[in-house]
Amino acid sequence: GLNRTYAYLSLLLLLLKTWSYVGCNPTIGDVVVDRYSIPKLCPREVKSGDYVRYHYNVTFQDGKTFDSSYERGAASVGQTGQGRLIAGIDKGILGMCVNEKRKVTVPPHLAYGSLGAGDVVPPDSTLVFDLMLLDMWNKADLVVTETVSSPRDCKRSVKRTDFVRYHFNGTLLDGTPFDSSYNKGQTHDSLVGEGWLIKGMDEGILGMCVGETRNIIIPPFLAYGEKGSGKEIPSQATLVFNVLLADLHNPKDDITVENQVLPESCARKSVAGDYMRYHYNGTFLNGVTFDTSYQRNNTYNTYIGLGYVISGMDKGLQGVCIGERRRVTLPPHMAYGEQGAGKDIPGSAVLVFDIHVIDFHNPKDSVEVHVTHKPEVCNLTSDVDDLIHYHYNCSLLDGTRLFSSSDYDNLQDTVLGADKVIDGLDEGLRGMCVGERRTVIIPPHLGHGEKGATGVPGSAVLHFELELMDLQKGVPEGYLFVWVEDAPLELFQAMDINQNGEVPIEEFGEFIMLQVAEGKGRMKPGVDPEEIIADMFRNQDRNKDGVIVAEELKLKVEEDKERMHEEL
């Protein structure tokens, strides 16, 4: 198609030294030459000593044909100036261009003379040769290369022992196509300088950069020589290749890391066994994208250093900081190898990953607490069973805001240890003073886990900014009231304020509220005191007669002691 034509014309331009125009038909030593079809471009003319490949028809002067290479289906090959062609052709073919057609009239003494040639050519016959030149070369020829286009940046070029993947259009010197990787829909893949390629290609591809397009002309003795190749490449054919280098690596290559952008601080770098969330763009060396996490709007999540991903990525993700960006280039033996992966990644492809590390953690990680402000006076700290009120901001480690207590009208509150918030937050809120501020880093196994939650990605590490605003000391689970100091020795008598042997709910409530007011006892925070007193009274009033007597109180106290002993 057009690509092949362009390749051929580019090659002709490369070699062009002179234009060949013929204003008349010369007579060369009694040989009459009629150059009736001359190509516009003639980068090279046949000289004595050149080898030529040409088609011909031979007729007598009366027009009768007696020989034709077309009928035999094979062009003729010979060397000029060495006496290997009949003298008239040796003279008449000089100065020809590839794709030129000419008639050469050869007198008898420069053909078969007075003897003729058996029964085919009578004595003293003048012969008329209709020639078409297909190819020419010389043993002194070298591989000729021309760079048609090259990339702006070329950090590495082809050397011997490298492995390359390239596209090509191949034609004979006359422009006849013989093969194309584009038609096959896949690159040609080969080691360079190891005998996998014809000698001329081994030489012509050296020094190429990925993305470079190069024209390469290879003489027959550096191509397929006398044997040719199949039906498409005849014997002694000069080959013309238009090559686009798609990929390049060496079997000894390791991964390369570049274009690193590090965060301002990096308290920790990833190691084998960490679980990482990262975004990536995956491209080939020519810049064509084969995959990207951004289009899916989800990070790629995996353990690193444990074989869960291709070996080059396993290695390239170690030693990174949270928030870091880096480019990792993977040779195929550290990616998907000779087999490739599906339809998108061909065999022996070098892969380039531009990575943004969102976060990582280790399954052994605990909650990480950093106190940013602590009040000078701190008599109480938060603990299990306490009712607390607090402010918070929650974000991902990359700064993405998730939730904030400022989104609500009231402060956030919870009872610590009551399984009201995620485990890591519950832990991070303990040991705080009222007025204290701290940041808390929570790994996903103490947060929302692999599945995440509404608005929270799976396996996300969470960053909390906390401020404790209020603290009410609590009571153990299952209790409504606890003594802060020792209870009175004669509890019923202390409770029976009017000493009539009976304690109604009013008297009971007055006693409990007095203990709380004097700091001797503590009710469960966050619950209406009247409801607590009513529940406590019902628990003590065994016979449900509306009053508590000493025997009921004694029985209840003994049951509580027995229950506590069983729990211990």
Side-chain angles (χ1 to χ4, degrees), residues 54-67:
Y54 59 96
H55 268 306
Y56 66 88
N57 281 315
V58 188
T59 65
F60 299 112
Q61 282 185 303
D62 61 4
K64 181 181 178 182
T65 299
F66 71 87
D67 192 12

Side-chain angles (χ1 to χ4, degrees), residues 146-255:
E146 176 203 18
T147 297
V148 178
S149 64
S150 57
R152 291 182 179 179
D153 297 320
C154 182
K155 298 178 181 178
R156 176 175 179 177
S157 59
V158 178
K159 297 180 180 179
R160 296 189 186 278
T161 75
D162 282 343
F163 191 93
V164 295
R165 296 192 308 115
Y166 61 90
H167 273 299
F168 72 91
N169 284 317
T171 68
L172 305 179
L173 195 58
D174 66 354
T176 303
F178 63 81
D179 196 6
S180 172
S181 64
Y182 297 98
N183 293 341
K184 297 175 182 176
Q186 61 184 34
T187 56
H188 188 81
D189 308 341
S190 179
L191 277 171
V192 178
E194 298 291 311
W196 289 28
L197 296 167
I198 56 175
K199 291 181 179 180
M201 185 62 79
D202 252 345
E203 179 182 336
I205 209 166
L206 291 174
M208 285 192 76
C209 303
V210 171
E212 179 180 340
T213 301
R214 178 180 286 190
N215 289 327
I216 303 172
I217 302 176
I218 303 173
F221 54 88
L222 294 176
Y224 294 99
E226 294 183 6
K227 293 182 178 180
S229 179
K231 296 180 179 179
E232 303 297 328
I233 301 177
S235 171
Q236 301 290 28
T238 300
L239 303 184
V240 179
F241 288 93
N242 179 262
V243 174
L244 170 62
L245 188 63
D247 204 340
L248 160 66
H249 77 277
N250 194 283
K252 297 179 180 179
D253 283 350
D254 197 352
I255 66 168

Side-chain angles (χ1 to χ4, degrees), residues 3 13 28 33 52 108 110 332 338 345 357 392 403 449 465 476 550 555:
N3 284 338
L13 282 170
I28 305 174
V33 175
V52 290
L110 295 176
E338 295 181 7
I345 300 178
V357 179
Y392 74 90
F403 312 107
E465 296 173 325
L555 181 61

Side-chain angles (χ1 to χ4, degrees), residues 130 201 220 222 272 274 277 322 372 406 415 427 430 470 473:
D130 196 328
M201 185 62 79
L222 294 176
D274 284 343
R277 297 192 312 123
I322 290 173
T372 57
S406 60
V415 175
E427 183 179 336
R430 298 180 192 181
D470 186 41
K473 298 302 292 183

Side-chain angles (χ1 to χ4, degrees), residues 6-123:
Y6 173 74
Y8 177 60
L9 292 177
S10 296
L11 285 164
L12 294 180
L13 282 170
L14 168 69
L15 295 176
L16 182 60
K17 294 181 180 179
T18 60
W19 293 81
S20 291
Y21 293 105
V22 177
C24 60
N25 297 322
T27 299
I28 305 174
D30 298 331
V31 174
V32 178
V33 175
D34 177 8
R35 303 183 71 180
Y36 67 88
S37 178
I38 306 172
K40 290 184 178 180
L41 296 177
C42 184
R44 175 174 174 177
E45 297 178 347
V46 176
K47 295 180 180 179
S48 181
D50 285 344
Y51 288 82
V52 290
R53 186 164 57 85
Y54 59 96
H55 268 306
Y56 66 88
N57 281 315
V58 188
T59 65
F60 299 112
Q61 282 185 303
D62 61 4
K64 181 181 178 182
T65 299
F66 71 87
D67 192 12
S68 173
S69 64
Y70 295 100
E71 291 181 2
R72 290 201 305 273
S76 184
V77 177
Q79 185 181 14
T80 63
Q82 302 297 315
R84 298 178 182 179
L85 302 172
I86 63 172
I89 293 301
D90 221 350
K91 293 176 180 290
I93 208 168
L94 292 175
M96 280 193 80
C97 307
V98 170
N99 284 327
E100 179 180 340
K101 296 178 181 179
R102 62 169 58 173
K103 285 186 178 181
V104 179
T105 303
V106 181
H109 66 279
L110 295 176
Y112 293 100
S114 58
L115 296 178
D119 296 334
V120 179
V121 180

